Amino acid sequence: MPTSRREFIAGLGALALFPIERSEPDLILHNANVWTVNPRQPRAQAIAISNGNFYAIGTNEEVLALAAGSAKKIDLAGHTVLPGFIDAHSHPAEAGLDHLRMVDCDLRSIADILAALRKQAAKIPPGQWVLGFKYDDTKTSDGRPLTLKDLDEALPDHPVFVEHRGGHTAWVNSLALKLTKVDDNTPDPPGGNYDRDPDTGHLTGHVRENAKQAFQQLIPTNFTRDDHREGVKLIAKMMSRTGITSVTDALGSPQDLRAYQDARESGDLSVRVYCSIFFLHIQHMLDAGIRTGLGDEWVRVGFMKMICDGSISERTARLSQPYIGRPNDFGILVSIEDELYEHSRKAHEAGWQMGTHANGDVGIDTTLRVYERLQKEMPRRDPRFRLEHCTVVNDSLVQRIKALGAIPTPFSTYVYYHGEKMKEYGAERLDHMFALRSFIDAGIRPTQASDYPPGPFEPMMALQSEVTRTDSKGTVWGAKQKITLEEAIRVGTVHGAYASYEENLKGSIEPGKLADLVVLGRDPFKTEPSQLINTPVERTMVGGRWVWEA
Ligand SMILES: [Zn+2]
């Protein structure tokens, strides 16, 4: 009886309803504490879902009254519901493969790391590589980094290669050195070095930058198409558990795009993906007539990715003022402005969104000049230029970002997780880094972005980091850039949707949008900000289906 129901609904007044006559809600969540992130209806008690979309949002009475015979009802016992979180810059396909074959060394003692590596060694024949990743020398309780001796004693029969979380350095054992024929007399390769003990001259097993290549060349990388799909399945599951419902792959390839499609087809994709394409692959896409936006709400072609300067966690971002304690070090520009422009021009003209890795103020200035020139020479309506990371800013950069309508994607968890690395930027600069307060005040829409693996992706850690600007040891970095919890949630939801041109599709709990949400075990608005990270994620829903239930 659609007519009578419509009349009935009209009488409800405040109830927000999606105007599809034919559908009935198939699921109703009620008795919930809903924060919708929809300014027209910020709070609600109940949500009706139909065919994977939000159908109605309102009070318990209003929404339960819509229940038809077949509608399932779930009493959420007062628990908090937020829109699903959007990680607007991450590397899921690559991280998934890492998790498939490497040992996660994000552990708090060297003994734990060695035990995890030994466990992996026990599963494979002697002589095969044991690989680790996400090791961070500043994160173990031992107060010293891994050594050759540690690795030799724990793993005498397997070559070992343990990568730093930042990805630029690694630790190896003697068997790995033997296989690569690197010894005390081997000269350092250009752009890299094999660390040596200053007293004895012997190798320490720590290898940096290009010195890693000797080992990487020997490590098999023969992944099958199934491996790529399995990797996506694994990382998607990990993300679902934390409340992420959409993710942007910030350095995608045609192979990654295929892996996301394969995972979706086999029913293993539990997060929606906006897949950027690295500029080296762009010609294939242009030739095929593909551009930003192709796909659907599960797997969509994203922006063209370029890289302008270095990294924040490894302290190579290009800065106008030198790093603290290194008066001659301003960081690295990876690309020349003219090159960036040349690569961008074709893609911009063909309708691609641009996303350029730019961390330091010089990197951001350079990237903005390229975007400004593109828009001047070939104006496009609503190009939504992205500044990937956009870490170190100043007032004039913020004004230019605003004028261009560009989107910064600052690291969300770095202050909390990588706090100890911040001293090399200095207190003054920290007041202009991960500058959410400045962006929001200027009317810019920054996103939540983990850059996983380098940064943890848990949205609850992001909220705490952004609201408190405090690291895990209690030190505050750049207090001026604190934002409110409400703002941090907007950054992690609707702003992420805007960054992929999907703000009409997702990012808030309102009728007609995709039913992507998260159920929390505690109301973050009633939680001490320093405890937000411990907020339990009880359930995650994508498209009306639970993809995670604790
Ligand atoms: Zn990245």
Side-chain angles (χ1 to χ4, degrees), residues 392-504:
V392 183
V393 295
N394 56 46
D395 291 346
S396 119
L397 291 176
V398 169
Q399 286 319 310
R400 284 165 66 196
I401 293 167
K402 168 66 182 163
L404 202 56
I407 299 165
T409 66
F411 299 106
S412 309
T413 54
Y414 266 35
V415 170
Y416 177 82
Y417 191 82
H418 286 304
E420 74 282 343
K421 300 178 183 73
M422 295 307 144
K423 10 181 210 304
E424 290 182 56
Y425 293 94
E428 200 189 323
R429 202 155 26 199
L430 252 305
D431 272 335
H432 303 278
M433 288 175 65
F434 324 109
L436 291 173
R437 178 80 273 145
S438 302
F439 293 142
I440 291 172
D441 288 349
I444 295 164
R445 285 183 255 208
T447 64
Q448 191 175 96
S450 68
D451 203 29
Y452 188 78
F457 53 71
E458 289 80 353
M460 296 302 135
M461 186 193 292
L463 296 182
Q464 177 166 330
S465 191
E466 292 165 350
V467 169
T468 68
R469 295 286 295 201
T470 303
D471 70 19
S472 56
K473 300 193 174 85
T475 309
V476 178
W477 301 100
K480 284 186 184 160
Q481 294 296 340
K482 280 183 190 175
I483 57 172
T484 67
L485 179 61
E486 208 169 334
E487 287 168 333
I489 291 171
R490 286 189 69 77
V491 165
T493 55
V494 285
H495 288 194
Y498 181 81
S500 62
Y501 292 92
E502 292 172 303
E503 69 275 19
N504 293 324

Side-chain angles (χ1 to χ4, degrees), residues 167-379:
H168 292 238
T169 65
W171 282 258
V172 299
N173 68 351
S174 291
L175 196 49
L177 290 166
K178 201 175 144 195
L179 285 175
T180 48
K181 301 192 174 65
V182 171
D183 60 29
D184 292 348
N185 302 315
T186 309
D188 287 336
N193 63 286
Y194 307 110
D195 263 22
R196 289 156 219 270
D197 186 307
D199 298 328
T200 65
H202 294 313
L203 293 172
T204 66
H206 188 196
V207 300
R208 296 169 195 269
E209 301 291 347
N210 289 345
K212 283 169 58 199
Q213 285 170 8
F215 305 88
Q216 284 167 318
Q217 278 159 12
L218 292 184
I219 297 168
T221 52
N222 48 338
F223 293 112
T224 65
R225 187 167 168 179
D226 279 348
D227 292 336
H228 285 274
R229 193 203 61 233
E230 280 296 314
V232 168
K233 174 183 176 177
L234 179 62
I235 190 76
K237 265 212 172 73
M238 290 168 67
M239 291 184 146
S240 294
R241 275 182 203 178
T242 69
I244 292 173
T245 54
S246 290
V247 63
T248 293
D249 186 316
L251 197 78
S253 65
Q255 199 171 39
D256 296 329
L257 194 54
R258 185 179 69 183
Y260 293 125
Q261 294 174 80
D262 285 349
R264 189 234 182 131
E265 203 167 278
S266 60
D268 294 322
L269 189 62
S270 58
V271 294
R272 305 180 191 279
V273 182
Y274 188 58
C275 185
S276 78
I277 300 293
F278 194 41
F279 76 96
L280 292 176
H281 306 292
I282 205 71
Q283 195 57 48
H284 303 300
M285 311 297 273
L286 293 174
D287 289 345
I290 295 170
R291 64 174 164 88
T292 299
L294 183 69
D296 64 10
E297 71 275 16
W298 276 100
V299 180
R300 198 182 294 282
V301 173
F303 53 92
M304 182 179 88
K305 171 70 178 292
M306 285 168 300
I307 298 179
C308 183
D309 71 338
S311 106
I312 287 296
S313 69
E314 314 247 336
R315 285 83 85 199
T316 52
R318 180 69 181 200
L319 303 167
S320 58
Q321 301 300 317
Y323 285 84
I324 303 294
R326 288 183 281 154
N328 297 316
D329 186 356
F330 292 79
I332 302 167
L333 270 185
V334 178
S335 305
I336 298 164
E337 186 172 337
D338 287 346
E339 280 172 14
L340 286 177
Y341 171 77
E342 280 309 319
H343 291 305
S344 307
R345 200 177 44 80
K346 271 190 295 183
H348 176 73
E349 205 169 15
W352 281 75
Q353 185 183 26
M354 300 289 136
T356 306
H357 169 118
N359 263 315
D361 51 353
V362 174
I364 296 165
D365 173 52
T366 306
T367 303
L368 281 172
R369 262 202 311 276
V370 170
Y371 289 165
E372 285 158 353
R373 186 174 162 196
L374 286 176
Q375 204 46 0
K376 198 169 160 216
E377 294 175 358
M378 287 168 278

